[in-house]
Coordinates of all heavy atoms in Angstrom, one line a residue:
C98 N 125.3 80.0 -150.0 CA 126.1 81.0 -150.7 C 126.5 82.1 -149.9 O 127.7 82.6 -150.0 CB 125.3 81.4 -151.9 SG 125.1 80.1 -153.1
I99 N 125.7 82.6 -149.0 CA 126.0 83.7 -148.1 C 127.2 83.3 -147.2 O 128.1 84.1 -147.0 CB 124.8 84.1 -147.3 CG1 123.8 84.9 -148.2 CG2 125.2 85.1 -146.2 CD1 122.5 85.3 -147.6
S100 N 127.1 82.1 -146.6 CA 128.2 81.7 -145.7 C 129.6 81.6 -146.5 O 130.6 82.1 -146.0 CB 127.9 80.3 -145.1 OG 126.8 80.4 -144.3
I101 N 129.5 81.0 -147.6 CA 130.8 80.9 -148.5 C 131.2 82.3 -148.9 O 132.4 82.6 -148.8 CB 130.5 79.9 -149.6 CG1 130.3 78.5 -149.1 CG2 131.6 80.1 -150.7 CD1 129.9 77.5 -150.2
D102 N 130.3 83.2 -149.2 CA 130.7 84.5 -149.6 C 131.4 85.2 -148.5 O 132.3 85.9 -148.7 CB 129.5 85.3 -150.1 CG 129.7 86.6 -150.7 OD1 130.4 86.7 -151.8 OD2 129.4 87.6 -150.1
R103 N 130.9 85.1 -147.3 CA 131.5 85.7 -146.1 C 132.9 85.2 -145.9 O 133.8 86.0 -145.6 CB 130.6 85.5 -144.9 CG 129.4 86.4 -144.8 CD 128.7 86.2 -143.5 NE 127.5 87.0 -143.6 CZ 126.3 86.7 -143.0 NH1 126.2 85.5 -142.4 NH2 125.3 87.4 -143.1
K104 N 133.0 83.9 -146.0 CA 134.4 83.4 -145.8 C 135.3 83.8 -146.9 O 136.5 84.2 -146.6 CB 134.3 81.8 -145.9 CG 133.7 81.1 -144.7 CD 133.6 79.6 -144.9 CE 132.7 79.0 -143.8 NZ 132.5 77.6 -144.1
K105 N 134.9 83.9 -148.1 CA 135.7 84.4 -149.2 C 136.0 85.8 -149.0 O 137.2 86.2 -149.3 CB 134.9 84.2 -150.6 CG 135.6 84.5 -151.7 CD 134.8 84.2 -153.0 CE 133.6 85.3 -153.2 NZ 132.8 85.1 -154.4
R106 N 135.2 86.7 -148.6 CA 135.5 88.1 -148.4 C 136.5 88.3 -147.3 O 137.3 89.2 -147.3 CB 134.2 88.9 -148.1 CG 133.4 89.1 -149.4 CD 132.1 89.8 -149.1 NE 131.2 89.7 -150.2 CZ 130.9 90.8 -150.9 NH1 131.5 91.9 -150.7 NH2 130.1 90.7 -151.9
R107 N 136.4 87.4 -146.3 CA 137.4 87.5 -145.1 C 138.8 87.2 -145.6 O 139.8 87.8 -145.2 CB 137.0 86.6 -144.0 CG 136.1 87.2 -143.1 CD 135.9 86.3 -141.9 NE 134.5 86.1 -141.7 CZ 133.9 84.9 -141.5 NH1 134.5 83.8 -141.6 NH2 132.6 84.9 -141.4
S108 N 138.9 86.3 -146.6 CA 140.3 85.9 -147.1 C 140.4 86.3 -148.6 O 140.8 85.4 -149.4 CB 140.5 84.4 -146.8 OG 139.6 83.7 -147.5
A109 N 140.0 87.5 -148.9 CA 140.0 87.9 -150.3 C 141.3 88.0 -150.9 O 142.3 88.4 -150.2 CB 139.2 89.3 -150.4
S110 N 141.4 87.5 -152.1 CA 142.7 87.6 -152.8 C 142.3 88.1 -154.2 O 141.2 88.0 -154.7 CB 143.3 86.2 -152.9 OG 142.5 85.3 -153.7
V111 N 143.3 88.6 -154.9 CA 143.1 89.1 -156.3 C 143.5 88.1 -157.2 O 144.7 87.7 -157.3 CB 143.9 90.5 -156.4 CG1 143.6 91.0 -157.9 CG2 143.5 91.4 -155.4
P112 N 142.5 87.6 -158.0 CA 142.9 86.5 -159.0 C 143.6 87.2 -160.2 O 143.2 88.3 -160.6 CB 141.6 85.9 -159.4 CG 140.6 87.0 -159.1 CD 141.1 87.8 -158.0
L113 N 144.6 86.5 -160.7 CA 145.3 87.0 -161.9 C 144.8 86.2 -163.1 O 145.0 85.0 -163.1 CB 146.8 86.8 -161.8 CG 147.7 87.2 -162.9 CD1 147.5 88.7 -163.2 CD2 149.2 86.8 -162.6
T114 N 144.2 86.9 -164.0 CA 143.7 86.2 -165.3 C 144.2 86.9 -166.4 O 144.3 88.1 -166.5 CB 142.2 86.1 -165.3 OG1 141.7 87.6 -165.3 CG2 141.5 85.4 -164.1
L115 N 144.6 86.1 -167.4 CA 145.0 86.7 -168.7 C 144.1 86.3 -169.9 O 144.4 86.6 -171.0 CB 146.4 86.2 -169.0 CG 147.5 86.6 -167.9 CD1 148.8 86.0 -168.3 CD2 147.6 88.1 -167.9
D116 N 143.0 85.6 -169.5 CA 142.1 85.2 -170.6 C 141.1 86.2 -170.9 O 140.2 86.5 -170.2 CB 141.5 83.8 -170.3 CG 140.9 83.8 -168.9 OD1 141.3 84.6 -168.0 OD2 139.9 83.1 -168.7
I117 N 141.3 86.9 -172.1 CA 140.3 87.9 -172.5 C 139.6 87.4 -173.7 O 140.3 86.9 -174.7 CB 141.1 89.2 -172.8 CG1 141.7 89.7 -171.5 CG2 140.1 90.2 -173.4 CD1 142.7 90.8 -171.8
N118 N 138.3 87.5 -173.7 CA 137.5 87.0 -174.9 C 137.2 88.2 -175.8 O 136.4 89.1 -175.4 CB 136.3 86.4 -174.4 CG 135.4 85.8 -175.5 OD1 135.8 86.0 -176.7 ND2 134.4 85.1 -175.2
L119 N 137.9 88.4 -176.9 CA 137.7 89.5 -177.8 C 136.4 89.4 -178.5 O 135.9 90.4 -179.1 CB 138.9 89.6 -178.8 CG 140.2 89.8 -178.1 CD1 141.3 89.7 -179.2 CD2 140.3 91.1 -177.4
F120 N 135.8 88.2 -178.5 CA 134.5 88.1 -179.2 C 133.3 88.1 -178.3 O 132.2 87.8 -178.7 CB 134.5 86.7 -180.0 CG 135.7 86.6 -180.9 CD1 136.8 85.9 -180.6 CD2 135.6 87.2 -182.1 CE1 137.9 85.7 -181.4 CE2 136.7 87.1 -183.0 CZ 137.8 86.4 -182.7
E121 N 133.5 88.6 -177.1 CA 132.5 88.6 -176.1 C 131.4 89.7 -176.5 O 131.7 90.7 -177.2 CB 133.0 89.1 -174.7 CG 132.2 88.8 -173.6 CD 132.9 89.1 -172.3 OE1 133.6 88.2 -171.9 OE2 132.7 90.2 -171.8
D122 N 130.2 89.3 -176.3 CA 129.0 90.2 -176.7 C 129.1 91.5 -175.9 O 129.0 91.4 -174.7 CB 127.7 89.4 -176.5 CG 126.6 90.2 -177.1 OD1 126.8 91.1 -177.9 OD2 125.4 89.8 -176.8
R123 N 129.2 92.6 -176.5 CA 129.3 93.9 -175.7 C 128.3 94.9 -176.2 O 128.6 96.0 -176.3 CB 130.7 94.5 -175.9 CG 131.7 93.7 -175.0 CD 131.6 94.1 -173.6 NE 131.6 92.9 -172.8 CZ 131.1 92.8 -171.6 NH1 130.4 93.7 -171.1 NH2 131.3 91.7 -170.9
D124 N 127.1 94.4 -176.6 CA 126.1 95.4 -177.0 C 125.5 96.1 -175.7 O 125.9 95.9 -174.6 CB 125.0 94.7 -177.8 CG 124.2 93.7 -177.0 OD1 124.5 93.6 -175.7 OD2 123.3 93.1 -177.5
E125 N 124.7 97.1 -176.0 CA 124.2 98.0 -174.8 C 123.4 97.1 -173.8 O 123.6 97.3 -172.6 CB 123.2 99.1 -175.4 CG 122.8 100.0 -174.4 CD 124.0 100.8 -173.7 OE1 125.0 101.0 -174.3 OE2 123.8 101.2 -172.5
D126 N 122.7 96.1 -174.2 CA 121.9 95.3 -173.2 C 122.9 94.5 -172.4 O 122.7 94.4 -171.2 CB 121.0 94.3 -174.0 CG 119.8 95.0 -174.5 OD1 119.5 96.2 -174.2 OD2 119.1 94.5 -175.4
S127 N 123.9 94.0 -173.0 CA 124.9 93.2 -172.3 C 125.6 94.0 -171.2 O 125.9 93.7 -170.1 CB 126.0 92.6 -173.2 OG 125.4 91.7 -174.0
R128 N 126.0 95.3 -171.6 CA 126.6 96.2 -170.7 C 125.7 96.6 -169.5 O 126.1 96.6 -168.4 CB 127.1 97.5 -171.4 CG 128.3 97.3 -172.2 CD 129.0 98.6 -172.7 NE 128.2 99.3 -173.6 CZ 128.2 99.1 -175.0 NH1 129.0 98.2 -175.5 NH2 127.5 99.8 -175.8
Q129 N 124.4 96.7 -169.8 CA 123.4 97.0 -168.8 C 123.3 95.9 -167.8 O 123.4 96.1 -166.6 CB 122.1 97.3 -169.4 CG 121.9 98.6 -170.2 CD 121.8 99.8 -169.2 OE1 121.3 99.7 -168.2 NE2 122.3 100.9 -169.8
V130 N 123.2 94.7 -168.3 CA 123.1 93.5 -167.4 C 124.4 93.3 -166.6 O 124.3 93.1 -165.4 CB 122.8 92.2 -168.3 CG1 123.0 90.9 -167.5 CG2 121.4 92.3 -168.9
D131 N 125.5 93.5 -167.3 CA 126.8 93.4 -166.6 C 126.9 94.5 -165.5 O 127.3 94.1 -164.3 CB 127.9 93.6 -167.6 CG 129.2 92.8 -167.3 OD1 129.0 91.8 -166.7 OD2 130.2 93.3 -167.7
M132 N 126.5 95.7 -165.8 CA 126.6 96.7 -164.8 C 125.7 96.4 -163.6 O 126.1 96.6 -162.4 CB 126.2 98.1 -165.4 CG 126.2 99.3 -164.4 SD 125.8 100.8 -165.2 CE 124.0 100.6 -165.4
L133 N 124.5 96.0 -163.9 CA 123.5 95.6 -162.8 C 124.1 94.5 -161.9 O 124.0 94.5 -160.7 CB 122.1 95.2 -163.4 CG 121.1 94.8 -162.4 CD1 120.8 96.0 -161.5 CD2 119.8 94.4 -163.1
H134 N 124.6 93.4 -162.6 CA 125.2 92.3 -161.8 C 126.3 92.8 -161.0 O 126.4 92.4 -159.8 CB 125.7 91.2 -162.8 CG 126.1 90.0 -162.1 ND1 127.4 89.8 -161.5 CD2 125.4 88.9 -161.7 CE1 127.4 88.7 -160.9 NE2 126.2 88.1 -161.0

């Protein structure tokens, strides 16, 4: 994973996504876990 991550960072691109999940769980715990990740 580290090797692949290094290769990916060398050739970083910005992905374009339009898929937004409006029903995604956004409670305080989820935000904390998301922030930590």
Side-chain angles (χ1 to χ4, degrees):
C98 290
I99 287 170
S100 294
I101 291 171
D102 187 65
R103 282 184 182 144
K104 287 177 192 172
K105 183 175 74 176
R106 287 176 190 254
R107 274 189 230 126
S108 62
S110 62
V111 179
L113 178 62
T114 59
L115 298 174
D116 50 331
I117 298 170
N118 183 355
L119 298 174
F120 302 101
E121 197 171 279
D122 189 15
R123 286 283 139 208
D124 65 1
E125 187 59 30
D126 287 343
S127 295
R128 282 194 292 276
Q129 291 281 331
V130 168
D131 213 27
M132 182 180 69
L133 180 60
H134 189 274

